[in-house]
Amino acid sequence: MPNTYPLPRDIGLKIPADLRENRFYAGFEHALKGGHLTEAEYFRRSFRLGFRAAKFYLREVRRHRGILDFPMRARIRLRDVWPGS
């Protein structure tokens, strides 16, 4: 079953007139799918602003659901230290 993602207009976002709507939508969807900015095309203004809007939207959805966003994301490596080993 394919995932369905909301469009910016579905959540009440207004796209500024100076942006390209199809790139804005592409950036928005890319961010909702968890994509990263790895291609040169992803750095165009319309795509970036759509990506940014989706990140803000996801933050609000998580906050509304009570999911905390911690300030630091890092890997921690622990070693077992037992007495006598």
Side-chain angles (χ1 to χ4, degrees), residues 11 15-17 21-22 28 30 36-37 47-48 75-76 81:
I11 61 171
I15 301 171
E21 188 173 332
N22 59 347
F28 193 84
H30 187 71
H36 298 283
L37 298 175
F47 192 96
R48 275 193 343 252
R75 291 184 182 178
I76 299 174
V81 180

Side-chain angles (χ1 to χ4, degrees), residues 53-74:
K55 289 297 186 179
F56 284 133
Y57 169 70
L58 288 173
R59 184 185 301 168
E60 284 301 314
V61 167
R62 288 185 190 115
R63 187 172 291 151
H64 187 279
R65 292 180 181 176
I67 300 171
L68 298 177
D69 192 26
F70 296 101
M72 183 181 86
R73 295 179 188 170

Side-chain angles (χ1 to χ4, degrees), residues 18-28 30 36-53:
D18 62 331
L19 298 181
R20 295 187 178 176
E21 188 173 332
N22 59 347
R23 280 195 188 145
F24 188 89
Y25 284 162
F28 193 84
H30 187 71
H36 298 283
L37 298 175
T38 57
E39 305 286 326
E41 181 184 331
Y42 296 167
F43 291 98
R44 295 187 182 264
R45 186 169 187 262
S46 298
F47 192 96
R48 275 193 343 252
L49 292 179
F51 189 90
R52 183 173 185 258

